[in-house]
Amino acid sequence: KAKTDSERLAWRVAKETGLDLRVVNPSMVWGPDFARHTPSTEVAVKLLRGGYPAAPKSSFGVVDSRDVASLHRIVFERDDAEGRYICSGDHGSLVEIGRRFKESCPEAKPPKVTVPWIVVHAFALIDEIKAFFGFEGTLTQKVVRSLKRGDAWMDTSKARGLGWTPLPFETTVRDTVDWINAHDDL
């Protein structure tokens, strides 16, 4: 929500001031060369190391960090670029992405089972109760609602119309895994 609110404010300011605003909105960013782990790279770590024994049927997109940088450069340099650009490569459910992750990285331990939403809501309730008593809880009903919305399909045609093409998913996975393995200390 904070990102959405910030972008709305940026568009309002741009309109009021005549600023030529161009926005790149990436999906889940993987790849090499992060300074630290992010929520997105943590998902990759969990896919690699078995952190998701099962997963809800939620859809998301994945894009390589180098592709995000590339689209930022293109949008900045092209005079015909304007507005908002969705930056995403492959997308699918966590189980589907996990299966493809394993194809590219045989040592990965992705989820194999899709969990019904009622079970996900129950786990969120348990996590919220744990958090109330001072224990670590990460899954909330708000997160579950966000997962249920997912991003079933992300339209990248505007970015592709500028000549942007994402790297193959397999390249992103392999380079992400290499980065994770080289940065266990983070």
Side-chain angles (χ1 to χ4, degrees), residues 8-107:
R8 283 189 185 125
L9 176 61
W11 283 114
R12 192 180 84 226
V13 169
K15 185 177 180 182
E16 291 171 1
T17 62
L19 179 70
D20 178 17
L21 181 63
R22 303 167 191 194
V23 176
V24 173
N25 291 99
S27 57
M28 185 174 299
V29 183
W30 288 353
D33 303 324
F34 286 88
R36 61 175 174 75
H37 275 294
T38 68
S40 294
T41 62
E42 290 294 341
V43 170
V45 169
K46 289 180 179 180
L47 286 173
L48 179 63
R49 300 190 176 144
Y52 298 117
K57 187 176 183 179
S58 179
S59 177
F60 65 95
V62 174
V63 66
D64 194 291
S65 56
R66 295 164 290 192
D67 293 328
V68 177
S70 170
L71 183 55
H72 273 99
R73 182 189 51 77
I74 291 168
V75 167
F76 175 75
E77 292 175 350
R78 294 276 302 260
D79 290 336
D80 60 334
E82 62 181 6
R84 187 172 199 250
Y85 294 85
I86 303 299
C87 185
S88 186
D90 289 27
H91 65 275
S93 72
L94 190 56
V95 171
E96 292 164 352
I97 293 288
R99 179 185 50 75
R100 294 202 47 219
F101 195 99
K102 186 163 180 68
E103 288 171 4
S104 298
C105 181
E107 69 268 26

Side-chain angles (χ1 to χ4, degrees), residues 30-32 37 41 44-45 47-49 101-102 104-108 170-184:
W30 288 353
H37 275 294
T41 62
V45 169
L47 286 173
L48 179 63
R49 300 190 176 144
F101 195 99
K102 186 163 180 68
S104 298
C105 181
E107 69 268 26
E170 297 72 23
T171 300
T172 299
V173 168
R174 191 73 253 159
D175 292 349
T176 302
V177 169
D178 289 347
W179 180 83
I180 289 167
N181 288 335
H183 295 88
D184 264 344

